[in-house]
Amino acid sequence: MSETFDESHVLQLVSNIRTQFLEAYPSADSLHKIKSSTKLEGSEPLVELGKLASIIKAHSTKVGIIYNPDTLFKSKQNISTAFKELQAFTNSVFYLLSLLPLFYSSKHYAEYLLDELDACLLGLLGGIGNLCDEIERLMHVNDVQADADDSKNAKPLDTDKRPDHDDVRLISIGKIWASCDTFTKISSSGNLGLLNNKIQISSKLINDTLTEVEEWLEDPQLEDSDPFGLDNSFSGDESGQDESNSGDEGEKQVLEQMVKFIKLWQNNLKMIKLLLSSFSKSISSNDYKSKEKDGESLTKLNQLHGATVAKIDDLISTTFMLSQDFDPEDKELKEIVEDLNDSIKKIVKIIKLLNRNEEKKGKWVEVWENKFFS
């Protein structure tokens, strides 16, 4: 005869989950301190992550079904089954946590992958915490109802005042599912797939800036530095008119310089977008599979393309804000351009590094570099 379990076993298991998982790992730092002797033969951590995501999701689905308040307490066998399923779910989470040192101790995984893994793990633990809260409330409501049934003078429990267990239960299971789906995405995408997604976002942001630039060039105008005419409020008519004519001529020259500068960077933005989109196509191919484990280089590349987008935005916004004070030799502008070009040079260097010993595959970036910096 198989062992049976009751509500006390369920509550003890929930308590153990809180102690062993929720209280032990409240932050990403605590997750990184996990020690494990887990070793994989004939497999890799990303592959096992995908497998465990499917197992955890399946067990959480069963937990969500079994801990239905309308059916859970109809028989002792239901309680026993609920305990066993929660225990199986707990075991699968334990296996997941024991896998983590294989990620954190390896140089194969880029920081952005580990950051996403950390966020997903904390989200999973948050969903588990919500589930624990709900199971404890569910058991408490049943105890109160049982006491009411045993007492002849006690009033029946007002079911209208019960928390909506089904909704809360489904929310917690939904959070666990969402984490499992992200684990699956991390597993299937790996370093290169996640980087490709991020680069595509950067390309879109550059395209948005490019659209803004092109719209301005259709009707180039300087920002009005004196929209209320305060500078002329206390000037005489003749002197004010002379200053206005002189100002118009000066603004015309400034606008011509700005248009020339913006057209230059319109072309440069197209080139930078081409660099990122070309690399994106490259890493989507099987040719780059051998670079999957170059975590350090891919981490730097991710940081650089994000910084490049920020510097482009800074450059264009600063140019427009200078308005009548625009000068292509402006110290701030030149510093931004210098920083931007430095980031691009570093991106090119890393792409070349990733293509080392494969001259044909890396030829395109050399052509791009010569054209951009010529």
Short mmCIF file of all heavy atoms in Angstrom, two decimals, residues 160-191:
data_model
loop_
_atom_site.label_atom_id
_atom_site.label_comp_id
_atom_site.label_asym_id
_atom_site.label_seq_id
_atom_site.Cartn_x
_atom_site.Cartn_y
_atom_site.Cartn_z
N ASP A 160 -19.08 33.86 0.70
CA ASP A 160 -18.92 35.11 -0.04
C ASP A 160 -17.69 35.88 0.44
O ASP A 160 -17.17 36.74 -0.26
CB ASP A 160 -20.15 36.00 0.11
CG ASP A 160 -21.35 35.41 -0.63
OD1 ASP A 160 -21.10 34.62 -1.56
OD2 ASP A 160 -22.50 35.74 -0.26
N LYS A 161 -17.25 35.60 1.70
CA LYS A 161 -16.12 36.32 2.26
C LYS A 161 -14.80 35.59 2.05
O LYS A 161 -13.76 36.05 2.46
CB LYS A 161 -16.34 36.56 3.75
CG LYS A 161 -17.52 37.49 4.03
CD LYS A 161 -17.68 37.74 5.52
CE LYS A 161 -18.86 38.68 5.79
NZ LYS A 161 -19.04 38.92 7.23
N ARG A 162 -14.86 34.42 1.42
CA ARG A 162 -13.64 33.69 1.12
C ARG A 162 -12.84 34.43 0.03
O ARG A 162 -13.42 35.02 -0.88
CB ARG A 162 -13.96 32.29 0.59
CG ARG A 162 -14.54 31.34 1.61
CD ARG A 162 -14.61 29.97 1.01
NE ARG A 162 -15.30 29.04 1.86
CZ ARG A 162 -15.38 27.73 1.63
NH1 ARG A 162 -14.81 27.24 0.55
NH2 ARG A 162 -16.03 26.94 2.44
N PRO A 163 -11.53 34.38 0.10
CA PRO A 163 -10.77 34.95 -0.99
C PRO A 163 -11.04 34.15 -2.26
O PRO A 163 -11.38 32.97 -2.20
CB PRO A 163 -9.31 34.79 -0.53
CG PRO A 163 -9.34 33.69 0.49
CD PRO A 163 -10.68 33.78 1.15
N ASP A 164 -10.93 34.78 -3.39
CA ASP A 164 -11.18 34.09 -4.66
C ASP A 164 -10.00 33.19 -4.97
O ASP A 164 -9.09 33.55 -5.70
CB ASP A 164 -11.38 35.13 -5.78
CG ASP A 164 -12.02 34.48 -7.00
OD1 ASP A 164 -11.89 33.25 -7.13
OD2 ASP A 164 -12.64 35.20 -7.79
N HIS A 165 -9.99 32.01 -4.40
CA HIS A 165 -8.86 31.10 -4.50
C HIS A 165 -8.52 30.74 -5.93
O HIS A 165 -7.35 30.64 -6.29
CB HIS A 165 -9.15 29.80 -3.71
CG HIS A 165 -9.24 30.03 -2.24
ND1 HIS A 165 -8.16 30.35 -1.48
CD2 HIS A 165 -10.31 29.98 -1.40
CE1 HIS A 165 -8.53 30.48 -0.20
NE2 HIS A 165 -9.83 30.27 -0.14
N ASP A 166 -9.53 30.52 -6.74
CA ASP A 166 -9.28 30.06 -8.10
C ASP A 166 -8.51 31.10 -8.90
O ASP A 166 -7.55 30.78 -9.60
CB ASP A 166 -10.60 29.73 -8.80
CG ASP A 166 -10.43 28.72 -9.91
OD1 ASP A 166 -9.73 27.72 -9.68
OD2 ASP A 166 -10.96 28.95 -11.00
N ASP A 167 -8.92 32.37 -8.76
CA ASP A 167 -8.24 33.44 -9.49
C ASP A 167 -6.79 33.57 -9.04
O ASP A 167 -5.88 33.69 -9.85
CB ASP A 167 -8.96 34.78 -9.30
CG ASP A 167 -10.24 34.85 -10.12
OD1 ASP A 167 -10.42 33.96 -10.97
OD2 ASP A 167 -11.03 35.78 -9.90
N VAL A 168 -6.57 33.58 -7.71
CA VAL A 168 -5.22 33.73 -7.17
C VAL A 168 -4.35 32.55 -7.59
O VAL A 168 -3.19 32.71 -7.96
CB VAL A 168 -5.25 33.87 -5.64
CG1 VAL A 168 -3.83 33.96 -5.09
CG2 VAL A 168 -6.05 35.10 -5.24
N ARG A 169 -4.92 31.36 -7.51
CA ARG A 169 -4.19 30.14 -7.88
C ARG A 169 -3.75 30.21 -9.33
O ARG A 169 -2.60 29.91 -9.68
CB ARG A 169 -5.10 28.93 -7.64
CG ARG A 169 -4.53 27.58 -8.09
CD ARG A 169 -5.48 26.47 -7.68
NE ARG A 169 -6.82 26.73 -8.17
CZ ARG A 169 -7.29 26.27 -9.32
NH1 ARG A 169 -6.52 25.57 -10.11
NH2 ARG A 169 -8.53 26.53 -9.69
N LEU A 170 -4.65 30.65 -10.19
CA LEU A 170 -4.32 30.72 -11.61
C LEU A 170 -3.29 31.81 -11.90
O LEU A 170 -2.47 31.67 -12.80
CB LEU A 170 -5.60 30.97 -12.43
CG LEU A 170 -6.61 29.82 -12.40
CD1 LEU A 170 -7.86 30.20 -13.17
CD2 LEU A 170 -6.00 28.55 -12.96
N ILE A 171 -3.30 32.89 -11.13
CA ILE A 171 -2.31 33.95 -11.31
C ILE A 171 -0.92 33.43 -10.97
O ILE A 171 0.05 33.66 -11.70
CB ILE A 171 -2.65 35.18 -10.44
CG1 ILE A 171 -3.89 35.89 -11.00
CG2 ILE A 171 -1.47 36.14 -10.39
CD1 ILE A 171 -4.40 37.01 -10.12
N SER A 172 -0.80 32.72 -9.85
CA SER A 172 0.51 32.20 -9.45
C SER A 172 1.02 31.17 -10.45
O SER A 172 2.21 31.17 -10.80
CB SER A 172 0.44 31.59 -8.04
OG SER A 172 -0.46 30.50 -8.00
N ILE A 173 0.14 30.30 -10.93
CA ILE A 173 0.54 29.31 -11.93
C ILE A 173 0.93 30.02 -13.23
O ILE A 173 1.89 29.63 -13.91
CB ILE A 173 -0.59 28.29 -12.20
CG1 ILE A 173 -0.89 27.49 -10.93
CG2 ILE A 173 -0.20 27.35 -13.33
CD1 ILE A 173 0.27 26.69 -10.39
N GLY A 174 0.21 31.08 -13.57
CA GLY A 174 0.53 31.85 -14.77
C GLY A 174 1.92 32.46 -14.69
O GLY A 174 2.65 32.50 -15.69
N LYS A 175 2.31 32.95 -13.51
CA LYS A 175 3.65 33.50 -13.33
C LYS A 175 4.72 32.42 -13.52
O LYS A 175 5.76 32.67 -14.12
CB LYS A 175 3.78 34.11 -11.93
CG LYS A 175 3.00 35.41 -11.73
CD LYS A 175 3.21 35.94 -10.33
CE LYS A 175 2.46 37.25 -10.12
NZ LYS A 175 2.64 37.78 -8.73
N ILE A 176 4.43 31.24 -13.02
CA ILE A 176 5.38 30.13 -13.16
C ILE A 176 5.49 29.73 -14.63
O ILE A 176 6.60 29.50 -15.14
CB ILE A 176 4.94 28.93 -12.29
CG1 ILE A 176 5.03 29.30 -10.81
CG2 ILE A 176 5.78 27.69 -12.60
CD1 ILE A 176 4.40 28.30 -9.87
N TRP A 177 4.36 29.68 -15.32
CA TRP A 177 4.39 29.38 -16.76
C TRP A 177 5.22 30.40 -17.52
O TRP A 177 6.01 30.04 -18.40
CB TRP A 177 2.97 29.40 -17.32
CG TRP A 177 2.15 28.18 -17.02
CD1 TRP A 177 2.55 27.05 -16.38
CD2 TRP A 177 0.77 27.99 -17.34
NE1 TRP A 177 1.51 26.16 -16.27
CE2 TRP A 177 0.41 26.71 -16.86
CE3 TRP A 177 -0.19 28.76 -17.98
CZ2 TRP A 177 -0.88 26.20 -17.01
CZ3 TRP A 177 -1.47 28.26 -18.13
CH2 TRP A 177 -1.81 26.99 -17.65
N ALA A 178 5.03 31.68 -17.21
CA ALA A 178 5.75 32.74 -17.91
C ALA A 178 7.26 32.58 -17.73
O ALA A 178 8.04 32.76 -18.68
CB ALA A 178 5.30 34.11 -17.40
N SER A 179 7.67 32.22 -16.52
CA SER A 179 9.10 31.99 -16.27
C SER A 179 9.60 30.80 -17.07
O SER A 179 10.69 30.85 -17.66
CB SER A 179 9.35 31.76 -14.78
OG SER A 179 9.03 32.91 -14.03
N CYS A 180 8.81 29.75 -17.11
CA CYS A 180 9.20 28.55 -17.87
C CYS A 180 9.33 28.87 -19.36
O CYS A 180 10.24 28.37 -20.04
CB CYS A 180 8.20 27.42 -17.65
SG CYS A 180 8.25 26.73 -15.98
N ASP A 181 8.43 29.69 -19.87
CA ASP A 181 8.50 30.08 -21.28
C ASP A 181 9.79 30.87 -21.56
O ASP A 181 10.40 30.71 -22.62
CB ASP A 181 7.29 30.92 -21.67
CG ASP A 181 6.00 30.10 -21.70
OD1 ASP A 181 6.09 28.86 -21.77
OD2 ASP A 181 4.91 30.70 -21.66
N THR A 182 10.18 31.71 -20.61
CA THR A 182 11.42 32.47 -20.79
C THR A 182 12.63 31.56 -20.71
O THR A 182 13.60 31.73 -21.46
CB THR A 182 11.53 33.59 -19.73
OG1 THR A 182 10.38 34.43 -19.80
CG2 THR A 182 12.78 34.43 -19.96
N PHE A 183 12.60 30.58 -19.80
CA PHE A 183 13.68 29.59 -19.75
C PHE A 183 13.83 28.89 -21.09
O PHE A 183 14.94 28.67 -21.58
CB PHE A 183 13.41 28.54 -18.66
CG PHE A 183 13.58 29.03 -17.26
CD1 PHE A 183 12.66 28.69 -16.27
CD2 PHE A 183 14.66 29.82 -16.90
CE1 PHE A 183 12.80 29.13 -14.96
CE2 PHE A 183 14.82 30.26 -15.59
CZ PHE A 183 13.88 29.92 -14.62
N THR A 184 12.69 28.54 -21.68
CA THR A 184 12.70 27.86 -22.98
C THR A 184 13.31 28.76 -24.05
O THR A 184 14.09 28.30 -24.90
CB THR A 184 11.27 27.46 -23.38
OG1 THR A 184 10.74 26.58 -22.39
CG2 THR A 184 11.26 26.76 -24.73
N LYS A 185 12.96 30.05 -24.00
CA LYS A 185 13.51 31.00 -24.97
C LYS A 185 15.03 31.12 -24.81
O LYS A 185 15.77 31.12 -25.79
CB LYS A 185 12.87 32.37 -24.79
CG LYS A 185 13.31 33.41 -25.82
CD LYS A 185 12.91 34.81 -25.44
CE LYS A 185 13.80 35.36 -24.35
NZ LYS A 185 13.56 36.79 -24.05
N ILE A 186 15.49 31.22 -23.56
CA ILE A 186 16.93 31.31 -23.30
C ILE A 186 17.63 30.06 -23.81
O ILE A 186 18.70 30.12 -24.43
CB ILE A 186 17.20 31.50 -21.79
CG1 ILE A 186 16.65 32.84 -21.33
CG2 ILE A 186 18.69 31.40 -21.49
CD1 ILE A 186 16.70 33.04 -19.81
N SER A 187 17.02 28.91 -23.54
CA SER A 187 17.60 27.63 -23.94
C SER A 187 17.72 27.52 -25.46
O SER A 187 18.76 27.11 -25.98
CB SER A 187 16.73 26.48 -23.42
OG SER A 187 17.16 25.24 -23.95
N SER A 188 16.68 27.90 -26.17
CA SER A 188 16.69 27.76 -27.63
C SER A 188 17.48 28.86 -28.33
O SER A 188 18.05 28.64 -29.40
CB SER A 188 15.26 27.75 -28.16
OG SER A 188 14.60 28.96 -27.83
N SER A 189 17.55 30.05 -27.71
CA SER A 189 18.24 31.18 -28.34
C SER A 189 19.74 31.17 -28.08
O SER A 189 20.54 31.41 -28.99
CB SER A 189 17.65 32.50 -27.83
OG SER A 189 16.29 32.62 -28.16
N GLY A 190 20.13 30.88 -26.85
CA GLY A 190 21.54 30.92 -26.50
C GLY A 190 22.12 32.32 -26.60
O GLY A 190 21.40 33.30 -26.78
N ASN A 191 23.42 32.42 -26.50
CA ASN A 191 24.10 33.72 -26.57
C ASN A 191 23.77 34.47 -27.86
O ASN A 191 23.41 35.65 -27.84
CB ASN A 191 25.62 33.53 -26.51
CG ASN A 191 26.12 33.19 -25.12
OD1 ASN A 191 25.50 33.53 -24.12
ND2 ASN A 191 27.25 32.52 -25.05
#
